[in-house]
Amino acid sequence: MAEDNWTDAVAFEDVPEGDVMGIVVAGQEVALYEVDGQVYATSNLCTHGAARMSDGFLEGREIECPLHQGKFDVCTGQALCAPLTENIRTYPVKVENRRVWLKLGGCPAA
């Protein structure tokens, strides 16, 4: 259910602490990350290859792509090292009533 362009995605408790999970929301593959009690969301597909970020390794706020070990900052979407040349799309997140809401019409990462 969307409310003012926000889409109810998942229960906050379902997002693994200090880890990443992949979900499909409104037909879009999204990766959710819990970093220091905050939830962040990006596209679940790497910008370099056909790999799912939810299969990657999260360390702090950096997710490592499982295919070629490129890293993104999950908070900003910034590509941090080779072979990545394009940032990953991020989505605004809010947590209300223990639910994670996403604004899927968000802009691509800068």
Side-chain angles (χ1 to χ4, degrees):
M1 178 171 144
E3 188 174 289
D4 294 327
N5 296 323
W6 288 93
T7 301
D8 186 355
V10 69
F12 177 77
E13 293 79 15
D14 290 343
V15 182
E17 187 175 338
D19 206 354
V20 57
M21 71 180 290
I23 61 172
V24 176
V25 181
Q28 294 185 48
E29 287 198 48
V30 176
L32 296 178
Y33 314 85
E34 189 281 335
V35 177
D36 296 328
Q38 298 287 342
V39 177
Y40 298 91
T42 70
S43 168
N44 197 24
L45 297 177
C46 181
T47 59
H48 176 256
R52 286 188 169 77
M53 302 313 298
S54 56
D55 293 332
F57 177 72
L58 182 67
E59 185 172 1
R61 58 189 277 168
E62 295 180 4
I63 185 72
E64 182 178 296
C65 174
L67 191 57
H68 294 115
Q69 290 72 50
K71 294 182 181 180
F72 296 98
D73 181 315
V74 302
C75 303
T76 65
Q78 182 178 359
L80 300 174
C81 62
L84 304 174
T85 59
E86 186 179 337
N87 295 342
I88 197 167
R89 184 176 190 152
T90 60
Y91 300 99
V93 176
K94 68 179 180 178
V95 177
E96 288 185 351
N97 300 318
R98 308 300 295 168
R99 299 291 302 174
V100 176
W101 293 76
L102 304 177
K103 189 170 264 193
L104 297 174
C107 299

